[in-house]
Amino acid sequence: MHRLRGLRVLASVLTTTKPGPVGGALIVTAAMALAQLGWTSPAAAFEIEDRRQFGPLGTGPTPDKLRVLSTTDTDLLAPLIESFLRERPSVTVDYISLSSAELMRAIVEEDAPADLAISSALDLQTKLANDGHTRAHRPESRIRVPDWAKWRNHVFAFSQEPAALVLSRAAFAGLEMPTTRQELMALLRRYPDRFRGRIGTYDVERSGLGYLFATQDVRAAETFWRMMEIFGRLDVQLYCCSSDMIEAVASGQIAIGYNVLGSYAQARADLAPDITIIEPQDYTNMMLRTAVIPKGAKRPDIAGAFINHLLDAAWGATPDPAYPFPRYSTEEAGPTAALRPIQMGPGLLVYLDRLKRAHFLEEWRETVLQQ
Amino acid sequence: MTRPATEPLPPHPTLRGSAPADPATKSQAHRSHADTLPTSGSIRRRLTVQLVGSAAFLAALLFFIVLVFTRDVSQQTHDSILEASATSIMDSATVRADAVTVDIPYAALSMLGNVSDDRVFYRVRLDGAILTGYGDLPEPNARPRQGKPQFETRGYQDDSIRMVTLSRRISVAGRLSELTITVAQTREGQASQLADLTRTALHIGVGFFLIAACLAIWTAQSNVRPLDELAGAVSRRGPQDLRPVHRPVPSEMVPLVSSLNRFIDRLRLSLSRSEDFIAEAAHRVRTPLATVRTQAEITLRRVERAENRASLREMIRAIDESSRAAGQLLDHAMVSFRTDTLAREPVDLAALCHDLLERLTPLADLKDIALHSDLAQCPPLSGDPILIQNAVRNLLDNAIKYSPAECNIRVVLREEQSAEGTRLRLSIMDEAGGFPSDDTDALTARFVRGSNAGGTIGSGLGLTIVREVVEAHGGHLEITPRPATLPNERHGSCVSLYFPCQP
């Protein structure tokens, strides 16, 4: 019930805002907006995608201002922000959305004034916390945050979103849908011509999330490289983001989207007749959307309250209708179940290592691009 | 009471035994003596303090040993995980195309994450060049030796970190280079673990102390108990109990107890000698006195001059007094002995009184004193008839002696119910004018005579004897003034003896 309501919110967001490339025009408008709001100049050195202000719009700087840097679309979180502000009439939220790499740069290099950083790049968030760029927060004790959904009381996850298989119904007509990676590989081996050029996955060199999913696959299964080799031989198509892959599968351009963000696919109710979303039963990586409070936060109290609000919506006993993500029960997902939340902790730093990343990308290129 | 056979036989068969004077005054003296005795502290307290102190010291020692040991173990555990992490990074180093590369295994850092939620840093360096990782990690103070991990606790980014550095020489492009791996972790988890360990060690220490303290108190109590028991046994003794101590005592106390026994023995011997001496002296004095009295009476009949007769009468009176005193001293010695070894047999108190009254009637008639008796039939009393008779005779003697001529003496015997059970009351009421005070204790002290005794012959031992006899039978003596109730009566006193029926 509630999960459906959440999906509907997400669907409306995805259909109204077209995910597109970051255009220069957008930066210009954002820069203008910044000038109007009196944003200080050094912070503008990172690229932002969108900026919106919630709450009372005053001309001068309001004291109760929460500055959020986020990789999540503004419209997606808007209902939660509004429900947060409803109880705090004096608080203003300045919401800036940007890419995860820019978010990292803004905080580490630019020292951007931010009270809260929300990102889907769990590894980068972990690195922020590990390298001492964040501060601790103690969630209210009534909110039962699962142990695997927080690290050091610095990084807090407030969503679980699966890396799913998205299949085109048309392309699989007459075939049994694979439910595991083994079945998928067997299928590809049996019908190579049917799927040649019709497999899509993340370009891990361009997409941070794609890289995270791929490295987690390496960790989780020995078969990853074998599957990548099959993908490579069948001319895999590479995408920058989940939404493009979903569109491509729905349009019949490709038959299989691998490691697609399941929450986005489920949200596209309009495409439901054309696509099937499968959470592989051997294992499904669960992406965790996380929030941290940067060390330079001026209002850690409001940031903490907002984190509590997010955690309550995600893990609280009563589902918040404004929560835009599917709610998985915390028992269903866990380290032993097929649904595996990406494990937080210093292990995530490994794949951010310069040499490690170079190795991985080299191998990936060799396997997938057959270079 | 048994007496050692070696003791010299006393001269008079009824005089054996020893009797300290007044039990009440004696026990009072004993108590006040103990109160003023200087003490050099309590053995129990000293033992307890010393044992508890040792326990506290040992508990503190245990606490520190446990703490140091567990800290050491905890540090070693952390260090070995750090070393394992560094080693796995070292093992991933390969030389490819004349360049060193490192492929950090996922487990190298995730294993540190499994231990605690601490921040993790690492650095890979080839000679001077940093290959990857956190270039600003502090340098190890000492250059690590080949294959030997170098552990250090340092500060980094405002945090304390534990750092391990491994070093290995590898051949790159034909020349030897040194590959150095450093892995570091903040110590928050370790600190909280140490806090837990400290708490555990504290609990162990406190628990140990509590158990040891209980054992210490118990040990002190049980070691002092024989001393307490001996002290209790000796102080519970009756005033006339001069038996040696025979209870088993710890060997350390044997010299004390045997000295005590020797002391008791000497005391008993000296007491019995003085009693024997008094009895012997009284006995020896009484016989010649009788002769002297007879001679004096014969002489009185012969002389006619009034002044000579008067001085002879005075002489006879003095002889009577001396002889009565000697008799009472003898009585008292006899009573003392017999009360020590009280032989009990049924005594019919009424019959006993009746006999005595009959015997004393001639004496009373001399002063025109009427003896009235009101003796109820009572159950027999269990006691020594000779002693009881002696006591009652003393009382009647006193009453006749101190009463003026032409008056009445009443003897009443009743069976009564009291809080302690059935008892017999024997009251002797006279019209002798009463005692100067009602203080039974004072009146019954040895050689104390009432201030109104005046010219009457007496030794001051009579009431003492009565009291000793009554108390030996478990009863007590009461002296109350008796006001005149009838018009032609004079006031006097009422002396009551109470004997319990079941002593």
Side-chain angles (χ1 to χ4, degrees), chain A residues 272-293:
Chain A
D274 301 323
I275 61 173
T276 300
I277 304 153
I278 288 172
E279 290 169 2
Q281 276 163 23
D282 45 348
Y283 68 90
T284 301
N285 284 320
M286 303 294 276
M287 183 205 85
L288 304 178
R289 216 175 275 270
T290 54
V292 298
I293 304 176

Side-chain angles (χ1 to χ4, degrees), chain A residues 13 24 54 63 70 80 92 96 113 127 129 154 156 159 177 201 217 222 245 252 263 287 305 321 324:
Chain A
V13 169
F54 297 83
S70 170
L80 271 180
T92 308
I96 296 172
K127 189 160 174 60
H154 278 244
F156 297 95
S159 84
M177 297 267 186
T201 192
D217 274 343
E222 311 235 314
M245 260 188 282
S263 53
M287 183 205 85

